[in-house]
Amino acid sequence: MSDRRVPLVVLGAGPAGVAAARAAVEARVAVVLIDLGARLGGQYHRREPEAFATSAPGALHHGWARWSEDVTHLERSPRFTHVAGAGVWAIQHLADGGMRIATDREDLPSFETDALIIATGANERVVPFPGWDLPGVLTVGGAQALLKGQGMRPGHAVVISGAGPLLLPVAAALARVRTNIVALTDANDPRRWLSGSPRGIPLSKVREGASYLATLARHGVRLRPRTAAIAAHGDGRVEEVVLARLERDWTPIPGSERTVTADALATSHGFVPDIGVAVGLGCLLDAQDASAPAVVVDRSQATSVPGVWAAGEVTGIGGADVAVHEGRVAGLAAALMLGGDVDEDELERAIARRRADAPFLRTLAGVLTVGDGWTSWLTPDTTVCRCEEVTLATIDEAIERRGACDLRSVKLTTRCGMGHCQARICGPSVAALLTARTGQPPADAGALDRRPVLHPVPLGRL
Amino acid sequence: MTDHDVIVIGSGVVGASCAYELALAGRRVLVVDRGNLTSGTTASGEGNVLVSDKPPGPELDLARASVSRWADYAAELSEGFEYEPKGGVVIATDDASRAGLVDLVSRHRDVGVSAQLLDADGLREAEPHLAHDLDLGALYPDDAQVQPVLASSALLADARRLGAEVRSGNEVLGFSFDSDGRVAAVRTTEGTFGAGAVVNAAGPWSSALARLAGTDLPVRPRRGHLLVTAPVGRLVHHKVYEAGYVDTLTADTSEAQVSAVVESTPSGTILLGSSRELVDFDTTVDLDVVRRIAQRARRLFPILAEVDLLRIYVGFRPWVPDHLPIIGEDPQVRGLWHATGHEGAGIGLAPATGQLIRAGITDTPPPVDPLPFRVARPSLMAAAAARTAHG
Ligand SMILES: Cc1cc2nc3c(=O)[nH]c(=O)nc-3n(C[C@H](O)[C@H](O)[C@H](O)COP(=O)(O)OP(=O)(O)OC[C@H]3O[C@@H](n4cnc5c(N)ncnc54)[C@H](O)[C@@H]3O)c2cc1C
Ligand SMILES: Cc1cc2nc3c(=O)[nH]c(=O)nc-3n(C[C@H](O)[C@H](O)[C@H](O)COP(=O)(O)OP(=O)(O)OC[C@H]3O[C@@H](n4cnc5c(N)ncnc54)[C@H](O)[C@@H]3O)c2cc1C
């Protein structure tokens, strides 16, 4: 195996990774940026520029201009290499302090590097409920991708239900192409965030939210707060969705259930940092929320492992702007360590910029809270792990009869999280269920994110 | 203060079997594990229950007793554990291993082990996806497979039903002794527990445990990688491995020994082993070893090239220099029993190990002769002496 040794690898080409790469390249450090996607952009800039510019003029325009500038600058730099369409399936510490990074690209099987910036972003979180595994149920991000990518609506009569800021732009985009939106519900109450100017929310975000609401109002769609789709029914696919009003902790209010007819249900409940790479390298985690552990970083985005930095959603959910701020800090800090041309004042300014995001992040955390009460939406035969078809009853049996009291034992005794998604979807639910059943968060938070194989790779590629 | 008759240290498959067998015999058992239940070596093992890889001798006797005891467990335990008596197929991949395989089969048949040589057609019939150039193998109908974590948790669950107590997150820190020097209690992070006997079933960590009791065991961790594919259904019908695997068992090097061990599981995944290296407790996945395992497995089943790798486990087999488990009471510390050193066969050998411990502690007839496994056997003493001489 012939390994190329490079000073710095950035993993993930979203807003955080691109900002990090740009900062490092400016400091005259050679950077290899690796991403699964064909183009730079990650989750945020996955859509085409046209759609981006027209979706909400003004505020987003500004973001797009900065983004294009970053990308142009990067792509012109002789120190920049973009390894596109490459899934990193494993990372190994080397005896000399470096790391080996294995990709599934046949022509570029592996790299060795002295330093790594983890910018792997986040995955959508989906809370299970009876019928969530029926055809016709998809994630809100999935509905967005379907629309942007293939110009397709998820159905003729669509329920959009979940929690968090992703619901609005996707609902607005669907409304604009005249989708029949039967209901739009948020399990939390986002009105506080949308009206007035709660602490730390930049005016641009408030305007962005207001413009989505205006679009929705024009199409007669109203956002129902403290309401959720708690079940879906149908013969072979979604035909009906049960909506219920919720208590603050997401427990359904008895008697508030209402059944609507729908052939599609788009649902997600916030985001979970994609910490697999960080866990594999041994980075310290913040597991205050056992369902969504994040990578711990210091003021310069350094993780607990020497030579490894992290930026963007992987360190906690903060949105694209915060991801850019963190990416810049990480890029400068890594470049400084690698002997790059970094002005320490510049690094301090970048750190200060990131610090100023703190009030916004606190408010955002409130909007993204997942209430414990969702566990009462489930029935014993509700599927929790879709890949391995593991039901709530099987998990309860493992906890009660086999004495499983941590994530790893539940996984090993039920197969929950062993399937293709490797617990990316069911992991947070299992952690929350264990917490609910045993009265305390599992001692091994993050255990389901330990994936020596970060994403599936054909044995013939090894 | 003695709330328990026996304390078992370790909730791996060996500790679980000891606990169950002792609970069956009416003993009040406490199992303690410092980690989560069954989270040690047992959670990264493959679950083969093999007679085919053991030449005639005491380990084969232990294996044959275990094979029949696993069948009992499958019938009598309340929870299932994916027990599959599906047989093993051993394959000669080069000239050296051809002669070895023919010889092993005839020696096995001499002692009454069912074994049958297979030619190219026989191999194809047993395993349709095998590489076409392979033309010599052997079928061992008595080889079986279990899911190790389910098996251990099933044993522990029934031990509990029989009155045993099981505590995870409880690390043993030391021992107390009575005036005669017998073990009287175990000190743990959760308190001190008294018992008439203590079983050291701490797998690759059992030598550290022995040291806490003031004695010595030559058990060391021998690292192994295990690859798991995405679910693809039953491509492989038996447990299939290269005849060369048997040689890697006794090649004691820090450099990784790799040979192909391939089998499907009831969930449709395929398990690929195996590597063996004496490199201490290093959990780093070695990508070179992973590649070598994948290549050797593809040598047997070319179709695997298209199958996705999904997971990798790294585990530490409890290795001993003379390659025989250590089962019996410590000659220096009375009341301390060892059940360890099973290396790459602890899942297969656990049931008869539990039975031997039960027989020893309850002073009842053992399932096989316990003498070869005793702590103070000449082959271990020789190894210990050599270690001392080398400093
Ligand atoms: C489905 C979805 C839809 C969203 N829609 C909106 C929206 O409409 N508006 C909005 O404001 N925000 C949206 N967000 C949030 C926004 O995308 C994030 O705030 C932002 O992208 C965070 O940037 P990041 O750089 O941290 O991570 P990301 O942009 O997520 O980038 C991470 C990158 O890492 C790559 N990666 C991860 N692991 C590997 C690996 N093993 N090998 C190779 N590559 C890897 C991924 O392919 C990805 O490109 C959305 C998020 C998601 C998940
Ligand atoms: C890759 C691989 C493949 C394998 N395949 C097979 C196979 O196919 N068939 C087969 O038969 N065998 C196989 N093995 C071997 C088998 O896994 C082991 O022999 C067996 O699991 C050992 O079980 P054990 O109970 O002795 O040890 P373990 O399972 O390691 O249990 C020991 C327990 O002791 C606990 N412990 C340690 N110290 C303390 C302390 N101070 N206080 C409290 N608790 C403590 C640990 O937490 C641990 O849970 C394989 C092993 C590997 C690595």
Side-chain angles (χ1 to χ4, degrees), chain B residues 51-370:
Chain B
V51 291
S52 56
D53 67 340
K54 296 170 187 70
E59 198 186 6
L60 179 63
D61 299 338
L62 196 64
R64 295 174 80 178
S66 287
V67 164
S68 86
R69 192 75 184 127
W70 271 122
D72 298 344
Y73 286 172
E76 72 192 39
L77 294 183
S78 318
E79 317 284 337
F81 51 87
E82 298 182 2
Y83 170 69
E84 288 190 294
K86 63 182 179 183
V89 170
V90 191
I91 292 174
T93 45
D94 55 36
D95 286 343
S97 63
R98 294 175 81 90
L101 183 60
V102 172
D103 176 56
L104 187 61
V105 165
S106 91
R107 284 162 63 211
H108 272 143
R109 294 171 72 130
D110 288 348
V111 295
V113 171
S114 312
Q116 176 196 339
L117 284 173
L118 299 176
D119 60 9
D121 290 341
L123 281 177
R124 222 66 64 235
E125 194 182 319
E127 292 293 341
H129 294 291
L130 268 181
H132 291 307
D133 61 328
L134 298 169
D135 60 3
L136 180 68
L139 176 68
Y140 282 84
D142 291 338
D143 285 353
Q145 186 182 337
V146 301
Q147 206 273 37
V149 174
L150 290 182
S152 310
S153 76
L155 285 163
L156 290 173
D158 275 11
R160 240 191 250 112
R161 281 186 195 103
L162 293 165
E165 199 186 323
V166 181
R167 293 170 172 247
S168 59
N170 199 353
E171 178 165 2
V172 172
L173 304 172
F175 296 82
S176 312
F177 305 90
D178 65 14
S179 49
D180 298 333
R182 254 189 93 86
V183 168
V186 171
R187 276 183 293 113
T188 81
T189 46
E190 305 282 292
T192 298
F193 301 93
V198 174
V199 180
N200 173 11
W205 300 278
S206 53
S207 50
L209 253 291
R211 271 195 303 280
L212 289 178
T215 178
D216 187 29
L217 279 185
V219 178
R220 284 173 58 193
R222 195 177 191 202
R223 185 167 76 160
H225 288 66
L226 175 62
L227 282 52
V228 187
T229 72
V232 287
R234 290 267 172 194
L235 289 184
V236 181
H237 302 281
H238 301 82
K239 183 241 164 52
V240 179
Y241 65 96
E242 296 180 75
Y245 168 79
V246 180
D247 304 323
T248 66
L249 298 181
T250 48
D252 300 327
T253 61
S254 60
E255 195 204 319
Q257 304 284 314
V258 174
S259 67
V261 178
V262 184
E263 77 215 278
S264 291
T265 70
S267 55
T269 59
I270 301 177
L271 307 182
L272 311 178
S274 84
S275 65
R276 293 181 137 72
E277 340 161 48
L278 286 167
V279 287
D280 214 6
F281 291 104
D282 177 357
T283 55
T284 318
V285 170
D286 184 331
L287 294 179
D288 286 324
V289 171
V290 170
R291 273 196 186 96
R292 286 169 59 199
I293 292 176
Q295 279 158 6
R296 297 219 60 116
R298 278 157 49 201
R299 164 74 186 93
L300 296 185
F301 292 98
I303 193 174
L304 288 174
E306 314 295 326
V307 175
D308 276 350
L309 170 65
L310 206 52
R311 287 179 278 136
I312 301 171
Y313 291 98
V314 171
F316 303 97
R317 304 179 184 88
W319 171 96
V320 275
D322 65 355
H323 303 284
L324 210 55
I326 302 173
I327 307 166
E329 191 174 18
D330 195 290
Q332 281 154 35
V333 185
R334 305 312 293 188
L336 176 64
W337 296 71
H338 301 293
T340 183
H342 297 80
E343 222 264 273
I347 316 251
L349 300 177
T353 302
Q355 287 180 302
L356 275 180
I357 290 291
R358 165 187 175 168
I361 289 179
T362 61
D363 206 11
T364 50
V368 296
D369 180 7

Side-chain angles (χ1 to χ4, degrees), chain A residues 170-206:
Chain A
V170 178
L174 285 171
R176 228 177 283 116
V177 297
R178 306 202 178 282
T179 311
N180 173 15
I181 298 175
V182 180
L184 168 62
T185 70
D186 191 315
N188 291 323
D189 188 349
R191 279 173 301 193
R192 220 172 62 84
W193 142 289
L194 293 165
S195 64
S197 59
R199 279 178 56 79
I201 303 218
L203 202 56
S204 63
K205 297 260 184 226
V206 176

